[in-house]
Each structure stands twice: as C-alpha cells, then as structure tokens.
Amino acid sequence: MQYDRDAVSPWAFFLPIALAVMVGSLVADALGHLMRGRFAEAPVAVVAEVSPAAVAAPEPTPPPAPLPQPVLPEPALPAAPVTEPPHPDAALPAAAPAPSVIAAVEAPSGVDAPRRLSGPMTARQAGESESCINNTVATRSPNGWEQALENDAPVRCEASSP
C-alpha cells in the first residue's frame, strides 16, 4: 500500500494540537485563578486588652531620627584627551611605547584600575601575547585567544586600540 499525500490534510494534525494547547492554557489559567491567595500567609489579628489609664496618658514620642546623609560619588579621574586617528597616508611616529608600558604608566597608584591592553586585531598584528576582548584579558594560544582567569574569574581590562 502506498502513502497518498493528498489523502490527509495538514490541518488534520494542526487543528487538534492547537485546540489542545488552547484548552490546556485556559484550564491552567482557571486553576491559577482559583488557587491565587489560598497559600499566602494571612496576617493574624491580635486583640490586646488595654487599661483605661494607659489610654489617658499617652507616651511621649521620641524625636525623629536624623536623616542619613546622601552618599556623594567619588571624584572621577580626568578623562584622557581625545585625539583624532592619524591620516592613513601620514608617516608613523618614530617609536611608540609598548602597550604594557602604557598600562604601567597610566594606572594610578593605590587604585585597582583595570589593565589597558590593545584589542585582538592590533595585538595580533603587533605580536603581543595578551589582548582585551569584551573587557576581559585574553591570552594568545595556537588556535586563537583564550580567556585569562584569576581565582576562576575573568580578569578585567580596558581596550586601548584605535
């Protein structure tokens, strides 16, 4: 016996499944509506006996507590001056310091600032062993880049590529 493709309509499968999904959603919503609030903890009403003397002499209210002082943000480090990229036909500078030297010079002492590394394309062209990819340090491996970890967490950095 050969399967006849036109004998069964595609709707013969789709409509029963769609109807089952709609009925299931309606039943689930109805059950959720019925059960809403049934398992929530209701506050317990407490009735206390109060003597007439306690009602007549109210306790003095304590002075309001002083408001907490707002926390002021720490002053931001001065931003690096914006420089335009060099013209492609212009001559290259004589000797630019290595990015690792720049990172050591620019990091302020006493502040845990992220390392400044070049991006993956610039690092590959310069032959560097470390790069900053997605604000984390990556080390060069034979198959590409691997994320550097310190205490099972990625090491943070800032990309300094143009």
Side-chain angles (χ1 to χ4, degrees):
M1 186 158 148
Q2 190 177 17
Y3 174 73
D4 187 13
R5 198 174 151 182
D6 296 328
V8 179
S9 170
W11 295 106
F13 179 74
F14 175 76
L15 289 177
I17 298 297
L19 181 64
V21 169
M22 285 189 290
V23 169
S25 295
L26 290 174
V27 169
D29 288 344
L31 285 174
H33 182 67
L34 288 174
M35 295 297 171
R36 187 173 297 132
R38 297 235 182 206
F39 300 107
E41 294 183 24
V44 178
V46 178
V47 178
E49 292 184 26
V50 180
S51 66
V55 174
E59 293 182 20
T61 58
L67 296 175
Q69 296 295 324
V71 178
L72 299 175
E74 295 182 15
L77 296 175
V82 177
T83 59
E84 294 184 21
H87 191 273
D89 296 334
L92 293 175
S100 59
V101 174
I102 294 173
V105 172
E106 290 181 2
S109 60
V111 177
D112 191 20
R115 295 170 52 187
R116 292 191 53 90
L117 297 170
S118 56
M121 295 299 290
T122 307
R124 186 177 66 86
Q125 291 169 352
E128 297 173 4
S129 63
E130 288 186 330
S131 173
C132 186
I133 302 173
N134 290 335
N135 293 331
T136 59
V137 175
T139 57
R140 186 84 171 128
S141 70
N143 294 329
W145 297 100
E146 293 180 356
Q147 191 173 38
L149 298 177
E150 189 174 281
N151 297 331
D152 293 331
V155 181
R156 295 286 172 204
C157 67
E158 289 181 1
S160 63
S161 294

